[in-house]
Amino acid sequence: MTVAPSAELTILSVLPRLLDTNGDAANARVLAQRARWAGIAARVVDVHTTADLPDTVDLVVIGSGTDTDLDAARAALLPLADAFGSWLAGGVPTLAVGTGWELLSAGIDLPGGTRVDGLGLVAGHATLLAARATDDIAVDASDARLIGFENHARGYTGAAHPLGRVLAGTGNGTGDEGLVQGSFIGTHLHGPVLARNPQLADRMLSSACAARGLAQAASAHTVLVDGTAKAARNQVAVRLGLSSE
């Protein structure tokens, strides 16, 4: 995929029909709306096959799905492996949640000792947890505290650079949560995560805008929405026994 100069950001939502169990495909719409509020045109392109790929790619989002659809999602992703590899090598900001993240890893461990091979594009692999994690989660991501909802039966091993340290919840099952590898962010956080944690969305947008040479304007819309998101995070934080922001 080429990354040519453009005044419009193109945001890909990969396999939204298969990988949107927890509403994670909405992360693409969050990025697009925040870009528009910042005075930058943006469009969301749903990608189901290589025929849907646009010439220009600025940001990529892939969500989570059920194990029932695991084989179908893997089969649909395989033809997109070269494109994903190109985006990651080119520094395109990419967010992968749950199953989407696992499928981009080395593989996924399943009950009974079986394993599904991943695309091997990011470090580590998904491993079985002793019990399913289904609860709110808080993560110290150094520059921000992230709040989300986790709903997964697998943790993650081999994340040399995690997204953050778990303050409450399970995450990778190692005391850490997620994976950061260059421009790639993998996480178990649903919500969708970018709506609940707009600071993470702005991290991705800033990177994409810098690559385009685009300036983000201040917006009253973001101030209002960010205040609402902060209040929602604080409600969860207090329930988890943490202080408010």
Side-chain angles (χ1 to χ4, degrees):
M1 291 297 98
T2 58
V3 181
S6 171
E8 178 184 59
L9 293 180
T10 299
I11 303 161
L12 301 195
S13 178
V14 180
L15 305 183
R17 287 197 290 261
L18 277 174
L19 299 177
D20 189 27
T21 300
N22 297 284
D24 300 307
N27 284 310
R29 297 197 296 275
V30 172
L31 289 168
Q33 189 57 65
R34 291 187 73 82
R36 294 174 191 132
W37 286 338
I40 300 167
R43 63 171 180 152
V44 174
V45 176
D46 290 348
V47 173
H48 302 285
T49 70
T50 55
D52 299 322
L53 293 173
D55 292 331
T56 300
V57 177
D58 294 293
L59 298 117
V60 179
V61 166
I62 181 169
S64 189
T66 65
D67 281 2
T68 303
D69 294 324
L70 194 56
D71 289 338
R74 182 180 182 277
L77 272 180
L78 281 174
L80 298 168
D82 287 345
F84 261 104
S86 177
W87 300 330
L88 297 179
V92 174
T94 301
L95 174 69
V97 181
T99 310
W101 168 26
E102 294 176 342
L103 285 168
L104 296 178
S105 76
I108 303 170
D109 291 346
L110 298 175
T114 58
R115 180 183 172 102
V116 172
D117 289 334
L119 273 60
L121 296 175
V122 298
H125 68 284
T127 53
L128 293 172
L129 292 171
R132 187 176 190 87
T134 310
D135 207 343
D136 293 311
I137 178 172
V139 178
D140 178 4
S142 71
D143 61 340
R145 186 173 68 186
L146 307 177
I147 298 287
F149 187 81
E150 56 181 341
N151 180 16
H152 55 106
R154 291 180 289 271
Y156 201 85
T157 298
H161 300 285
L163 177 60
R165 178 175 58 89
V166 173
L167 300 173
T170 301
N172 294 350
T174 60
D176 294 319
E177 158 56 19
L179 168 69
V180 176
Q181 183 174 310
S183 61
F184 175 86
I185 299 172
T187 184
H188 295 103
L189 273 66
H190 305 296
V193 62
L194 297 186
R196 301 184 76 174
N197 303 276
Q199 63 273 50
L200 188 59
D202 286 345
R203 181 198 300 184
M204 296 180 65
L205 278 174
S206 294
S207 179
C209 288
R212 284 277 179 265
L214 300 174
Q216 296 168 267
S219 168
H221 288 288
T222 56
V223 173
L224 178 62
V225 169
D226 291 0
T228 301
K230 180 179 180 179
R233 290 195 305 276
N234 281 337
Q235 284 186 336
V236 175
V238 171
R239 188 161 65 245
L240 293 173
L242 303 173
S243 62
S244 299
E245 294 180 59

